[in-house]
Amino acid sequence: MENKIDVRNLSISFHTGSGTVKAVRDISFSVEKGETLAIVGESGSGKSVTAKAILGILAKNSIVEGGEIIYDGQDLLKISEEEFNELRGHKISMIYQDPLSSLDPIMKIGKQMTEATIINGKVAKKHGKKNFTSKIAELNTAMKAAGTDSAKADKITSELTSVIENGSAKRVAFVQAREYAESALFSCEQLITAQKKADEKLIAEELSFLKERLELSVNENLFDADTVKNLIAKLPENVSEIEKSLEDILDKAQPDFYAYNTEANTETAKALKFQFEQNLPKKKAAVEALEKALPVFNKAELNQNECKTSANETKKLVLDAIDKLTVIKDSAAYTYGSTMDASIERYFKGVTKNPKELRRVEKETAKREKLLAKKGDAPEVIPAVLVDLEMTKGTMLRAVEEVIEKYSAEINNANVHDFDAEAVRLIEWLEEQAERMNSVVTKKYAYDKAIRIMEDVGIAEPRKRFEQYPFEFSGGMRQRIVIAIAIAANPDILICDEPTTALDVTIQAQILELINDLKAKRNLTVIFITHDLGVVANIADKVAVMYAGKIVEHGTVDDVFYAPAHPYTWALLSSMPDLDTEDRLESIPGTPPNMIYPPKGDAFAARNKYALAIDLEQEPPKFRISDTHWAATWLLHPKAPKVEMPQIIKDRIERMKEMDAKEGNA
């Protein structure tokens, strides 16, 4: 399964007047395409900071101390604001906790929805054209290099361009006509309702709208002009008949708009094979250089000149070995250069700054000791702002090792490459880019799309609601509008940051069900952030439990609910009510630590009644429980005393198993 996003060793702090807050501390996770990851923890655990880092909207006082966020072959921590603007809304969207603060209070809902659709349409068109033309040029060059006659290569790529551009234009026109037909179908339903109410004004409005949408749905592959003319002539009496005709037409399978000469696939596969074989020696050279570079980055203390020289040499070799025609980007190779540059700068900048910070801490400590001796009280010393040199060194080592592993695998499995399948994938990718390039989002089309999405997210009377302001909606309805705006551009990734916190329980359930339905319908990858573990039971595939800036437990939803292993996860589950709980719920004692002064050892130790002596001295590593489940707690160490999870959780697990068994037998 393809990983849609990889977060690796992410560490983020914030400068404040009181000191530097360590908000996120060396966390790593990945989310596969079509999967939902729930990140759960109390306020201040670092959940929302992680989400904002993915979207590139961290506060100005933030410091990204280390790590990477890999999406589509690029590190989101190292791209420009302009590049981020191409991703936000179009590829990665976010639903915020407070829907009212996400909406412009003086702009009508409809305007906010259509504005987002039109802007994203323009961005998609621009990048679709750029991607398509550059890849066709690369394919032409690769065909010639593979031995295809120059004139033949030009002819094939020219015909391929023509077939894809014409096919995509026809498909885009068909899709838009089909969507206008869907709007006409919706209008039929509205007209029937208006006729039942004998609302003459609404009847006139819907008749006008229906006629216009039927005319817009004329398309050689959907509706011919005469059919539409005959349908309009039957109005307003035979609305039900028109509705049935529309349903029958919309049920038909979509035609194939792309008719390729088999030569295009053959020559494309040949070009891919040649390029792959040409790159194998380059990959071998890159692996050899990277293996020689490993010791340079694995010393107790790194040498700046050695690191820069090795990085510059290996960057060029890694970049040259990338298969440019491959449409699924190799994140390890694509991000190697930016990772090494940023890490080397961070490491040696940190080294030069460390002495100054240590002198400042030493001076303030001496001052504090004098005040303590004199007055018996003194402010705490703000810890030094230091780059974690070991973490930064680890990032460099991992970057080198990942490319070695990736390229070595390709070298060793060179004989099992399916170039015919890769050729099909490349041509399908070109189709997608051409469809983006040919898509034209008019105001009328954006309006219809907004109405359909509003209906999809469960908003009644969408045309009426389209003309209203945010303050005229309830909290639940505002959240539905925010969801509608977030999915308008069909993003890859949807981040939900506490989307149900401000809503009552009944509305919460509706919003969760809506997000689940939209995920399945649109094949979304979802990152769901919440403080309530109970919320995620029916929505998540995987769960990451966060505390004090760290992920303390990670597993599938079944792992975390049926076999929780970390005391903090136990505490969250023990404080979570369900319909059958008869025992008194347990609260979590104390408060989360002040992350200006991160505690030594396990951050949860002070609140953990199961804490061991070592918890106060040393941070626990990740203990692997199964292939899908790990937890960072010393209780999982082989020499640790056996500690049973709380009885309230055992009872709940038994109830859940009984319910699952009943549902399985039903």
Side-chain angles (χ1 to χ4, degrees), residues 114 117-126 168-177 179-180 216 433-449 452:
T114 55
T117 302
I118 290 167
I119 290 170
N120 284 322
K122 288 177 180 176
V123 170
K125 187 178 180 70
K126 175 185 171 185
S168 65
K170 286 181 178 178
R171 188 176 186 282
V172 166
F174 170 81
V175 168
Q176 291 199 349
E179 289 180 345
Y180 282 127
L216 287 167
Q433 303 311 308
E435 285 170 17
R436 293 173 69 194
M437 177 174 69
N438 283 312
S439 183
V440 178
V441 182
T442 62
K443 288 184 178 179
K444 194 169 287 184
Y445 179 74
Y447 172 83
D448 275 18
K449 188 170 183 179
R452 284 194 305 277

Side-chain angles (χ1 to χ4, degrees), residues 35 40 96 353 368 384 408 417 425 446 487 520 530 572:
E35 185 177 65
V40 185
Y96 296 92
K353 281 192 173 182
R368 182 174 188 273
S408 296
H417 245 67
R425 191 185 302 131
I487 65 171
T530 180
L572 289 175

Side-chain angles (χ1 to χ4, degrees), residues 350-612:
V351 168
T352 56
K353 281 192 173 182
N354 282 353
K356 181 180 176 182
E357 275 292 280
L358 292 172
R359 284 196 298 272
R360 191 263 305 164
V361 171
E362 188 179 349
K363 184 179 177 181
E364 289 185 7
T365 301
K367 184 179 177 181
R368 182 174 188 273
E369 287 174 353
K370 285 181 181 178
L371 285 170
L372 283 171
K374 188 176 180 179
K375 297 183 177 180
D377 189 28
E380 292 284 342
V381 175
I382 296 170
V385 180
L386 306 174
V387 170
D388 188 328
L389 300 182
E390 286 304 309
M391 182 190 294
T392 306
K393 188 183 359 177
T395 299
M396 289 186 269
L397 279 170
R398 191 183 64 254
V400 175
E401 289 166 350
E402 281 185 351
V403 180
I404 291 173
E405 183 182 350
K406 177 72 177 175
Y407 280 180
S408 296
E410 291 189 14
I411 293 163
N412 296 331
N413 298 306
N415 296 325
V416 294
H417 245 67
D418 188 343
F419 296 104
D420 291 327
E422 283 197 21
V424 170
R425 191 185 302 131
L426 172 57
I427 290 171
E428 287 175 347
W429 183 87
L430 287 167
E431 289 172 5
E432 289 171 12
Q433 303 311 308
E435 285 170 17
R436 293 173 69 194
M437 177 174 69
N438 283 312
S439 183
V440 178
V441 182
T442 62
K443 288 184 178 179
K444 194 169 287 184
Y445 179 74
Y447 172 83
D448 275 18
K449 188 170 183 179
I451 296 298
R452 284 194 305 277
I453 292 174
M454 287 169 77
E455 190 181 17
D456 279 350
V457 300
I459 295 172
E461 300 182 284
R463 293 211 192 104
K464 177 184 175 184
R465 295 295 199 174
F466 186 90
E467 299 296 333
Q468 293 180 331
Y469 292 92
F471 69 84
E472 297 179 83
F473 288 71
S474 66
M477 281 297 167
R478 280 197 291 265
Q479 194 62 288
R480 289 176 187 270
I481 287 293
V482 170
I483 293 170
I485 293 171
I487 65 171
N490 294 318
D492 279 342
I493 298 170
L494 181 64
I495 302 172
C496 307
D497 188 4
E498 301 269 17
T500 60
T501 299
L503 308 174
D504 66 50
V505 176
T506 313
I507 304 301
Q508 277 186 16
Q510 292 174 11
I511 296 298
L512 291 172
E513 186 178 353
L514 172 61
I515 292 169
N516 246 353
D517 290 345
L518 291 171
K519 173 200 164 186
K521 185 177 179 181
R522 295 167 179 263
N523 197 24
L524 290 168
T525 300
V526 179
I527 298 174
F528 194 95
I529 291 164
T530 180
H531 65 276
D532 185 355
L533 200 51
V535 165
V536 307
N538 295 316
I539 198 170
D541 299 297
K542 292 179 182 173
V543 179
V545 180
M546 277 192 83
Y547 184 77
K550 295 190 77 71
I551 295 177
V552 297
E553 184 163 5
H554 186 284
T556 66
V557 69
D558 283 349
D559 289 334
V560 172
F561 277 91
Y562 287 100
H566 197 284
Y568 181 59
T569 312
W570 295 349
L572 289 175
L573 287 167
S574 298
S575 62
M576 181 184 81
D578 67 22
L579 292 174
D580 299 309
T581 301
E582 295 179 357
D583 297 330
R584 184 177 178 180
L585 296 175
E586 296 182 14
S587 60
I588 306 175
T591 57
N594 181 348
M595 294 312 292
I596 295 175
Y597 312 99
K600 187 179 179 182
D602 185 348
F604 188 58
R607 307 173 70 190
N608 178 13
K609 64 183 178 182
Y610 307 104
L612 306 173

